[in-house]
Amino acid sequence: MIDASVAPDTADTKMPTILCVDDEPNILSSLRRLFRTKGFQVRVAESGQAGLVLLEAEPIDLVISDMRMPEMDGAQFLAQVRERWPDTMRLLLTGYSDVTSIIDAINRGEIYRYITKPWDDNDIVLIVRHALERRALEHEKQRLEALTVRQNEELKALNASLEAKVEARTTELRTANDSLQGANEKLKTNFVTSIKVFSTLIEMRGGNLAGHSRRVADLSRRIALKLQLDNKLVQEIFVAGLLHEIGKVGFADELLSTPVATMKPPQLEAYRKHAVQAEQLLLPLQDLRGASEIISAQFERFDGTGFPERRSEENIPIGTRILTLASDYDNMQIGTLTQSRLSPEEARIIIVHGSGTRYDPKVVTALMDVLGGTPREETERERTEEMRVMSRDLKAGMVLSRDLIAPSGLLMLSVDHVLDARLIRKIMDFERSGGLQLTAHIRVDRKT
């Protein structure tokens, strides 16, 4: 016999469903009445086989089975329930005093509790509620575990996706950074080349100034390296050397060709202003601020008797002290300071004589070391070998290891320039038109 009666409020499908199995109708009636009044949905079956049929028909949350039943006892019935519907809670109802049978039911059916007859209504209702609460907790635990497993898998997939995205973004940023660095290096190279072009403006006026600024810049850089100044300052000193006479661009030809030693007072006053004029010309260029400050003080003297602010010793920028010395050394040899050109040895003697008065003694010492061929730190460019190549032997792809300078001192191409067929043709055309023969210094990497 199967009874599928429900509590009066059949719309409440959320209430737990209890199956009571017993071969005694009066016990089933008592259990049905008791649990209905507590709000449970109740199903009843008078045999274990009938209970299995009902379990197959609909979900059951909890089974209460009698122990002693014909054909299939409670232990056998609950064992099948455990095997086929392990999620259903199982209670054993027994008045049988055989402990062995109870233990068998516990072992085979893995029951939650056993209840003795006659039962106490409050106790049995409490036991059922505790069993259902435990079932709910088990369900929640399983749900949370499944949720955790699913979320962990999602996190793994997300992490893998994020790692791939981060790697892709990192590669993208690295590529962009490499591109920016390349562009930045190109801008720096173009910037220095532009400065070299500016420095030739005054030299295009002819006379003995050809190549002066480049020689001063190179010698200043070598002295700065000898004094172990930082790279940024060395670069500023080099640029200052290239531009230190740009203030002369407005000079009259007569003033430009007059040696400083023979200038009259009005000429000397005008001549001294070219350092300040250079600073004013360079003022709009933020990147040349350091170089312009070096240039503006080039007429100061180490002993404080210079022009225009009478600075002395360490109050004069180290870059200026280097530039002044390098410029004077070259000017003495090209005849712009003295009435006649001096030999390098004569220029050195005058420089040493001015140590402590016009020049900083430690800068003088550094100059003497540089001119004496004292070993100094090589730059990356200096660690690269070079070869001299006639214009007819130039090939596309060759890289200049030095500036290409015309015999007049005019800058034609800057160091690191990569030659192509068009440039090579222009160099050869320049040679033919001027009846000249040019030699280029080409970089040769030691590894090759």
Side-chain angles (χ1 to χ4, degrees), residues 299-307 311-313 316 357-358:
F299 291 122
E300 300 288 356
R301 291 171 55 101
F302 192 72
D303 62 4
T305 61
F307 175 87
R311 300 187 196 180
S312 64
E313 300 185 6
I316 304 171
T357 54
R358 176 161 175 74

Side-chain angles (χ1 to χ4, degrees), residues 278-322:
E279 182 183 28
Q280 292 171 347
L281 284 172
L282 300 175
L283 186 62
L285 301 175
Q286 180 70 25
D287 291 339
L288 295 180
R289 175 175 294 179
S292 67
E293 291 175 353
I294 293 173
I295 293 170
S296 67
Q298 62 182 294
F299 291 122
E300 300 288 356
R301 291 171 55 101
F302 192 72
D303 62 4
T305 61
F307 175 87
E309 298 179 354
R310 294 183 176 274
R311 300 187 196 180
S312 64
E313 300 185 6
E314 299 298 323
N315 291 321
I316 304 171
I318 182 62
T320 301
R321 284 176 267 154
I322 293 173

Side-chain angles (χ1 to χ4, degrees), residues 189-210:
T189 300
N190 291 341
F191 181 64
V192 173
T193 301
S194 299
I195 291 172
K196 289 179 179 179
V197 172
F198 294 155
S199 73
T200 62
L201 290 176
I202 188 64
E203 297 176 0
M204 292 180 67
R205 302 277 296 275
N208 53 8
L209 289 176

